[in-house]
Amino acid sequence: MNRPLKASQRQERRIADKVGGRTTPGSGNGFRKNDVRTDLVSYEMKYTGAKQYTLKSADLETGARHALLDGREFAFGIEMQGENWIVLEEDFFLALLEKYSEESSDG
């Protein structure tokens, strides 16, 4: 198995563990397309060892469509140069922020 493939699979397992989800076997060629799933969110994960990554609207739209068909919200994760980033649709981000604010003010 080549190094980038191993790194991307490691990345998928890492995020699945962190969010309490599971990886999607054969995510690129099966019925379920995004790489990691929880009850709430479907994640499409990308890995690069390069200093840059070109994020295209088509990647976000495709991932979001697959998540919607699966009844989940969508998140796009990128590991680049050892840093991990998550891209969210604005309405989902604001809803998470609002829920966090409510929970923080209750405690």
Side-chain angles (χ1 to χ4, degrees), residues 17-36:
D17 289 343
K18 284 189 174 276
V19 300
R22 58 200 170 279
T23 58
T24 307
S27 58
N29 59 16
F31 172 71
R32 292 195 168 92
K33 296 292 186 184
N34 293 337
D35 299 312
V36 175

Side-chain angles (χ1 to χ4, degrees), residues 84-99:
N84 296 289
W85 305 89
I86 299 289
V87 178
L88 303 174
E89 192 264 333
E90 183 179 27
D91 288 341
F92 181 45
F93 171 75
L94 293 173
L96 290 173
L97 193 58
E98 182 178 332
K99 183 158 182 63

Side-chain angles (χ1 to χ4, degrees), residues 1-12:
M1 187 177 293
N2 67 28
R3 198 171 296 225
L5 181 57
K6 281 186 179 180
S8 67
Q9 289 174 341
R10 215 174 14 254
Q11 175 205 27
E12 291 170 13

Side-chain angles (χ1 to χ4, degrees), residues 7-75:
S8 67
Q9 289 174 341
R10 215 174 14 254
Q11 175 205 27
E12 291 170 13
R13 285 191 304 271
R14 185 189 62 77
I15 195 70
D17 289 343
K18 284 189 174 276
V19 300
R22 58 200 170 279
T23 58
T24 307
S27 58
N29 59 16
F31 172 71
R32 292 195 168 92
K33 296 292 186 184
N34 293 337
D35 299 312
V36 175
R37 300 167 3 121
T38 65
D39 290 342
L40 177 64
V41 182
S42 179
Y43 298 82
E44 178 65 21
M45 307 302 296
K46 297 296 179 187
Y47 168 85
T48 182
K51 293 182 180 181
Q52 65 184 20
Y53 176 83
T54 301
L55 178 59
K56 300 176 185 154
S57 62
D59 296 333
L60 296 172
E61 292 163 0
T62 299
R65 185 172 54 253
H66 291 304
L68 179 63
L69 290 171
D70 212 17
R72 291 170 169 75
E73 297 291 339
F74 176 64

